[in-house]
Every structure is written in C-alpha cells, then in structure tokens.
Amino acid sequence: MNFASDTTAPMHPAVLAALTAANEASAPSYGADDWTDKVRALLSDIFETPLAVTWVNSGTASNALALSLICPPTGATICHENAHINRDERGAPAFFSGGGILRALDGAHDKLTRQGVEKELAAQDRDFVHETPADALSLSQLNEAGVTYSLDEVSALCALAHAHGLKTHMDGARLGNALAFLGCTPAQVTWQAGIDILSLGLTKTGAGGAEAIILFGDEAARLNDLEARRKRAGHMPPKQRFVSAQALALLETGLWLDLARHANAMAQELASVFTTCGGTLDHPVEGNEVFVRLQKPQYETLRAGGAQFYIWPDGSARFVTNWATPPDEIKAVRSLLS
Ligand SMILES: Cc1ncc(COP(=O)(O)O)c(C=O)c1O
C-alpha cells in the first residue's frame, strides 16, 4: 500500500518492453535516433500543431530549463506559493535562469486566481529599475493540491499574462491525470488556451524517467537555445533513444491516458473510503492525489497495516495513487479503517 508518491510505482511493462526493443542494436546518440524523431512527430499529432520538443529525466529539470527560456536573470515568474517550482526545487528555476526569481501568490486549492494575478501585474512598473517585473507565469496542471484548472481558467490566466507581455509555462508533471479528469484534448488545455511552453511529465504516469519540454508557436524557434541550456545543465542524455522509447511506449497507443484514468479512479475510491470513515477532504479530488484529515489513531492503524503516505506541511495526509495501484489496496484501506 504505497501511497507516498506516484514515483514509487514501477515502470509499466510496455515501457520495459520498449526499452528492451531499443536495446537490440546501436543507434545514433544525443537525439539523432529514430525513436526521438518518431516521438517528435507523434507529439505534434497528439497536440495537433507543429512544435519543438526536447527531453530530460526529471520534472525539476524540465520546469527549470523551460522557465530559463522565458524568465531572464533580471525578471520574475509568477506562480502559486505552493507550486513545485517554489516549494520543492531548491531554487532550480533561479539557478537555471541565472537569477530570475519567483513571485509567489496565494489562492485556494493551490490555484492562481485571475484577480490575484491581475492585482500583481497592475501594481508593477516595468520601467522602474528598482523593482523586478514578471516576465513569465507558471501554473501546474494537475496542481500540487491535486486540483485542475478548467479550460476557461487556463485561458483567462494566459490571456492576462500575454496582455502584460508575459510568456506562459505549464508544469504538466501530471498532465495525463488532469486530462483524464477534464476530458479535454491535450491541445485544448495547452497551446489553444495560451500556454507557450509545457513541461510534460511521463515519469509519474508509467515511465522510468521521461519528461518533455515542449515549445509551442513562436517559442519553437528557440529550440537551439534550449538545447544549449540543456547541454550546459548536464541534462542531455547521450543514449537519448532510451528516453524517447519510453515516451513512445506510453504515447503511441494512448496508454498514458488509460493509466492516468486508472490512477484517478483509484484516488476517487480512496477518497470515498476516507469520507465514509469520517475523514474530511482538504481539496476536491480531480486527479490521483487525495488530501485528507483523519483521526490520529486512524493514521496509526493505517501505518501499522502497511500503508505508506506523507503528512503534509499543512497537517493533512497526502495519498497518491498510480497506474499500478490495485483495487485490492483500496479495499485493504477500507478494512483497516472499518
Ligand atoms: C507538480 C510537480 N511538478 C514537478 C514535479 C517533478 O519533480 P521531480 O524533479 O521529482 O521529477 C513534481 C514531483 O513531485 C510535482 O509534483
């Protein structure tokens, strides 16, 4: 019963099979291989637009490199105060951009609000040298509270950002889970809603380590700049084909969305077990994460029964389901709490 994180899950067997198949012979290095070409074309089909893409191994590298393209050393990125880039990345966005800071705003359920961003942007004076203006806005989809932004919310935030000359980034470490909940297309919730750069995570979905940085529209022309940054950062795997092969295995057949749907369904089941047993949820369950408040003895019973989860800084307990979570584990939680 490992609900500590979706990164505790094994690789999906299709990913392992793809790695084995890619291991048959030698192939060109640094992304000049067939798998990388194929996945680039596939992503363009999936997102229904021409795009540029590169790959890294962690979500932190993906976010920080993406932001380094749109937030200069003298600028700022607007994000939620609980955003992974703000709370969990040890300053990587500032490090990779050479000094660009994060401007963290509040908002219920870890979501940026139109009003909050509007107020922040209205208060800034780009021509005043003694203040650090925002050049970018970043939102997470699924976000850190396991909640989604609706299409209208993404569009409104992006329109506001663009109207003030900012570029937009989406931390899509769990984009598959958000898509499974929203029921919209990858295109609708990203570039069609105004996202310029997407960090698309596949590691939490079922890969061993495959995170894409996708540049939409005019940003696609900046691929060489991004590649130079990726190289300098030490995030250019020589055997790139093994990263691309993992991504292909998940994307080619729509498997990533099937796996995300399963993880989301398990989270819904878990949430319903908790509420039936007297727990209260801190956030709506819109993906594969459940934040719940139970009685202290209930936590102890769960731990004694073998359940792993984190107590969050705000005092709630975070349970994360994944592609491999068996329905039996949810039943086991039910019987422990009953
Ligand atoms: C919202 C979000 N973004 C990005 C990441 C990626 O982090 P990592 O560098 O551990 O792959 C995570 C991991 O938990 C996350 O929750």
Side-chain angles (χ1 to χ4, degrees):
M1 283 184 282
N2 198 327
F3 301 108
S5 171
D6 32 15
T7 45
T8 62
M11 281 188 241
H12 189 273
V15 172
L16 259 190
L19 284 172
T20 306
N23 200 36
E24 291 290 305
S26 57
S29 352
Y30 297 109
D33 59 274
D34 291 347
W35 292 267
T36 301
D37 276 351
K38 210 169 160 193
V39 78
R40 188 182 300 120
L42 181 61
L43 280 169
S44 192
D45 287 350
I46 290 173
F47 283 91
E48 305 172 61
T49 190
L51 50 79
V53 56
T54 197
W55 296 89
V56 291
N57 210 260
S58 77
T60 298
S62 173
N63 284 336
L65 280 168
L67 288 175
S68 78
L69 273 189
I70 55 177
C71 180
T74 51
T77 296
I78 291 178
C79 65
H80 193 277
E81 61 186 355
N82 289 333
H84 198 267
I85 56 173
N86 191 44
R87 289 260 184 218
D88 306 288
E89 299 188 356
R90 287 276 170 154
F95 182 62
F96 279 57
S97 77
I101 60 168
L102 297 173
R103 176 78 34 78
L105 308 185
D106 61 9
H109 304 305
D110 293 2
K111 282 167 73 166
L112 289 172
T113 63
R114 194 189 149 81
Q115 294 82 343
V117 174
E118 208 155 33
K119 194 169 154 212
E120 180 64 33
L121 291 174
Q124 72 176 23
D125 176 0
R126 299 194 75 80
D127 298 326
F128 185 54
V129 73
H130 303 286
E131 89 180 39
T132 310
D135 289 283
L137 176 139
S138 176
L139 56 89
S140 309
Q141 179 82 305
L142 199 67
N143 80 4
E144 291 71 10
V147 174
T148 56
Y149 286 88
S150 69
L151 288 188
D152 284 349
E153 287 169 334
V154 179
S155 299
L157 286 169
C158 290
L160 186 58
H162 287 156
H164 285 80
L166 278 65
K167 299 284 185 188
T168 56
H169 166 253
M170 179 177 275
D171 174 351
R174 296 187 180 89
L175 186 68
N177 302 93
L179 288 170
F181 176 80
L182 292 168
C184 61
T185 66
Q188 283 172 322
V189 82
T190 56
W191 65 274
Q192 287 179 359
I195 294 295
D196 298 312
I197 305 190
L198 168 68
S199 293
L200 169 65
L202 293 172
T203 310
K204 294 173 191 304
T205 318
E211 306 280 319
I213 304 171
I214 299 180
L215 311 178
F216 296 115
D218 292 346
E219 294 308 308
R222 304 189 59 198
L223 183 65
N224 285 349
D225 186 0
L226 178 59
E227 289 297 41
R229 288 166 186 273
R230 189 166 71 111
K231 183 68 183 175
R232 180 183 64 169
H235 277 284
M236 189 175 275
K239 295 188 181 182
Q240 166 81 50
R241 65 186 182 280
F242 294 114
V243 179
S244 301
Q246 294 180 54
L248 267 179
L250 290 170
L251 296 170
E252 221 167 10
T253 56
L255 180 61
W256 65 306
L257 294 177
D258 293 340
L259 298 180
R261 271 189 282 272
H262 171 80
N264 287 8
M266 293 299 98
Q268 289 295 341
E269 294 277 318
L270 198 54
S272 127
V273 168
F274 289 145
T275 50
T276 311
C277 298
T280 51
L281 303 178
D282 270 18
H283 307 291
V285 178
E286 299 185 347
N288 63 325
E289 295 174 274
V290 182
F291 292 82
V292 66
R293 286 173 199 269
L294 297 165
Q295 300 300 318
K296 202 162 170 260
Q298 291 178 302
Y299 293 134
E300 284 158 11
T301 305
L302 287 174
R303 287 213 199 279
Q308 293 178 48
F309 53 92
Y310 280 116
I311 298 297
W312 222 232
D314 64 9
S316 65
R318 187 188 81 157
F319 291 75
V320 188
T321 55
N322 64 69
W323 72 267
T325 302
D328 278 354
E329 288 192 356
I330 313 295
K331 284 191 194 135
V333 170
R334 186 189 296 278
S335 39
L336 284 170
L337 291 179
S338 301

mmCIF file of all heavy atoms in Angstrom, residues 58-61 63 84 89 140 142 144 171 173-174 204, ligand 1:
data_model
loop_
_atom_site.group_PDB
_atom_site.id
_atom_site.type_symbol
_atom_site.label_atom_id
_atom_site.label_comp_id
_atom_site.label_asym_id
_atom_site.label_seq_id
_atom_site.Cartn_x
_atom_site.Cartn_y
_atom_site.Cartn_z
ATOM 1 N N SER A 58 14.076 14.554 -15.239
ATOM 2 C CA SER A 58 13.288 14.877 -14.034
ATOM 3 C C SER A 58 12.392 16.076 -14.296
ATOM 4 O O SER A 58 12.694 16.926 -15.148
ATOM 5 C CB SER A 58 14.206 15.177 -12.842
ATOM 6 O OG SER A 58 14.741 16.476 -12.959
ATOM 7 N N GLY A 59 11.318 16.132 -13.529
ATOM 8 C CA GLY A 59 10.388 17.242 -13.661
ATOM 9 C C GLY A 59 11.024 18.558 -13.257
ATOM 10 O O GLY A 59 10.725 19.613 -13.819
ATOM 11 N N THR A 60 11.902 18.510 -12.285
ATOM 12 C CA THR A 60 12.583 19.730 -11.843
ATOM 13 C C THR A 60 13.424 20.307 -12.974
ATOM 14 O O THR A 60 13.377 21.515 -13.249
ATOM 15 C CB THR A 60 13.474 19.420 -10.612
ATOM 16 O OG1 THR A 60 12.624 18.976 -9.555
ATOM 17 C CG2 THR A 60 14.250 20.632 -10.162
ATOM 18 N N ALA A 61 14.180 19.452 -13.657
ATOM 19 C CA ALA A 61 14.998 19.927 -14.784
ATOM 20 C C ALA A 61 14.101 20.482 -15.888
ATOM 21 O O ALA A 61 14.406 21.513 -16.497
ATOM 22 C CB ALA A 61 15.866 18.790 -15.321
ATOM 23 N N ASN A 63 11.029 21.803 -15.627
ATOM 24 C CA ASN A 63 10.479 23.113 -15.233
ATOM 25 C C ASN A 63 11.544 24.201 -15.297
ATOM 26 O O ASN A 63 11.323 25.276 -15.846
ATOM 27 C CB ASN A 63 9.949 23.046 -13.794
ATOM 28 C CG ASN A 63 8.613 22.329 -13.696
ATOM 29 O OD1 ASN A 63 7.864 22.262 -14.668
ATOM 30 N ND2 ASN A 63 8.306 21.811 -12.523
ATOM 31 N N HIS A 84 5.324 23.520 -7.152
ATOM 32 C CA HIS A 84 6.539 22.701 -7.030
ATOM 33 C C HIS A 84 7.779 23.545 -7.292
ATOM 34 O O HIS A 84 8.788 23.418 -6.590
ATOM 35 C CB HIS A 84 6.460 21.533 -8.027
ATOM 36 C CG HIS A 84 7.397 20.411 -7.723
ATOM 37 N ND1 HIS A 84 8.656 20.323 -8.276
ATOM 38 C CD2 HIS A 84 7.274 19.329 -6.918
ATOM 39 C CE1 HIS A 84 9.252 19.226 -7.831
ATOM 40 N NE2 HIS A 84 8.448 18.610 -7.003
ATOM 41 N N GLU A 89 12.000 22.804 -5.362
ATOM 42 C CA GLU A 89 13.064 22.629 -6.359
ATOM 43 C C GLU A 89 14.375 23.302 -5.973
ATOM 44 O O GLU A 89 15.256 23.489 -6.819
ATOM 45 C CB GLU A 89 12.549 23.068 -7.751
ATOM 46 C CG GLU A 89 11.357 22.207 -8.176
ATOM 47 C CD GLU A 89 10.875 22.403 -9.608
ATOM 48 O OE1 GLU A 89 11.409 23.274 -10.320
ATOM 49 O OE2 GLU A 89 9.952 21.655 -9.999
ATOM 50 N N SER A 140 0.466 24.903 -12.614
ATOM 51 C CA SER A 140 0.625 23.442 -12.607
ATOM 52 C C SER A 140 -0.704 22.767 -12.900
ATOM 53 O O SER A 140 -1.737 23.144 -12.343
ATOM 54 C CB SER A 140 1.121 22.953 -11.242
ATOM 55 O OG SER A 140 2.261 23.671 -10.844
ATOM 56 N N LEU A 142 -1.949 18.761 -13.464
ATOM 57 C CA LEU A 142 -2.610 18.830 -12.187
ATOM 58 C C LEU A 142 -1.773 19.652 -11.199
ATOM 59 O O LEU A 142 -0.553 19.593 -11.266
ATOM 60 C CB LEU A 142 -2.714 17.374 -11.678
ATOM 61 C CG LEU A 142 -3.709 17.011 -10.601
ATOM 62 C CD1 LEU A 142 -5.125 17.145 -11.047
ATOM 63 C CD2 LEU A 142 -3.434 15.583 -10.163
ATOM 64 N N GLU A 144 -0.490 21.132 -7.233
ATOM 65 C CA GLU A 144 0.105 20.494 -6.048
ATOM 66 C C GLU A 144 -0.943 20.052 -5.031
ATOM 67 O O GLU A 144 -0.650 19.295 -4.106
ATOM 68 C CB GLU A 144 1.139 21.429 -5.416
ATOM 69 C CG GLU A 144 2.399 21.631 -6.270
ATOM 70 C CD GLU A 144 2.212 22.449 -7.534
ATOM 71 O OE1 GLU A 144 1.130 23.071 -7.713
ATOM 72 O OE2 GLU A 144 3.132 22.468 -8.366
ATOM 73 N N ASP A 171 3.419 23.492 -15.768
ATOM 74 C CA ASP A 171 4.068 22.333 -15.170
ATOM 75 C C ASP A 171 3.081 21.168 -15.297
ATOM 76 O O ASP A 171 2.151 21.044 -14.504
ATOM 77 C CB ASP A 171 4.401 22.631 -13.699
ATOM 78 C CG ASP A 171 4.949 21.405 -12.953
ATOM 79 O OD1 ASP A 171 4.912 20.292 -13.523
ATOM 80 O OD2 ASP A 171 5.389 21.563 -11.801
ATOM 81 N N ALA A 173 3.628 17.904 -14.924
ATOM 82 C CA ALA A 173 4.196 16.652 -14.402
ATOM 83 C C ALA A 173 3.114 15.574 -14.332
ATOM 84 O O ALA A 173 3.396 14.389 -14.463
ATOM 85 C CB ALA A 173 4.811 16.881 -13.023
ATOM 86 N N ARG A 174 1.851 16.013 -14.105
ATOM 87 C CA ARG A 174 0.716 15.077 -14.074
ATOM 88 C C ARG A 174 -0.350 15.517 -15.072
ATOM 89 O O ARG A 174 -1.553 15.458 -14.779
ATOM 90 C CB ARG A 174 0.120 15.003 -12.664
ATOM 91 C CG ARG A 174 1.058 14.457 -11.617
ATOM 92 C CD ARG A 174 0.372 14.229 -10.267
ATOM 93 N NE ARG A 174 1.314 13.696 -9.307
ATOM 94 C CZ ARG A 174 2.089 14.453 -8.512
ATOM 95 N NH1 ARG A 174 2.011 15.763 -8.569
ATOM 96 N NH2 ARG A 174 2.935 13.882 -7.666
ATOM 97 N N LYS A 204 5.656 10.033 -13.812
ATOM 98 C CA LYS A 204 4.622 9.687 -12.822
ATOM 99 C C LYS A 204 3.524 8.842 -13.459
ATOM 100 O O LYS A 204 2.790 8.140 -12.770
ATOM 101 C CB LYS A 204 4.022 10.966 -12.232
ATOM 102 C CG LYS A 204 5.018 11.773 -11.409
ATOM 103 C CD LYS A 204 4.422 13.095 -11.004
ATOM 104 C CE LYS A 204 5.433 14.049 -10.418
ATOM 105 N NZ LYS A 204 6.166 13.537 -9.264
HETATM 106 C C1 LIG B 1 3.709 19.362 -9.599
HETATM 107 C C2 LIG B 1 5.048 18.729 -9.774
HETATM 108 N N1 LIG B 1 5.892 19.213 -10.697
HETATM 109 C C3 LIG B 1 7.067 18.638 -10.938
HETATM 110 C C4 LIG B 1 7.486 17.550 -10.230
HETATM 111 C C5 LIG B 1 8.743 16.878 -10.668
HETATM 112 O O1 LIG B 1 9.695 16.641 -9.769
HETATM 113 P P1 LIG B 1 10.945 15.644 -9.984
HETATM 114 O O2 LIG B 1 12.114 16.533 -10.198
HETATM 115 O O3 LIG B 1 10.988 14.927 -8.698
HETATM 116 O O4 LIG B 1 10.708 14.755 -11.166
HETATM 117 C C6 LIG B 1 6.676 17.031 -9.213
HETATM 118 C C7 LIG B 1 7.130 15.877 -8.394
HETATM 119 O O5 LIG B 1 6.604 15.537 -7.389
HETATM 120 C C8 LIG B 1 5.427 17.631 -8.979
HETATM 121 O O6 LIG B 1 4.591 17.152 -8.046
#
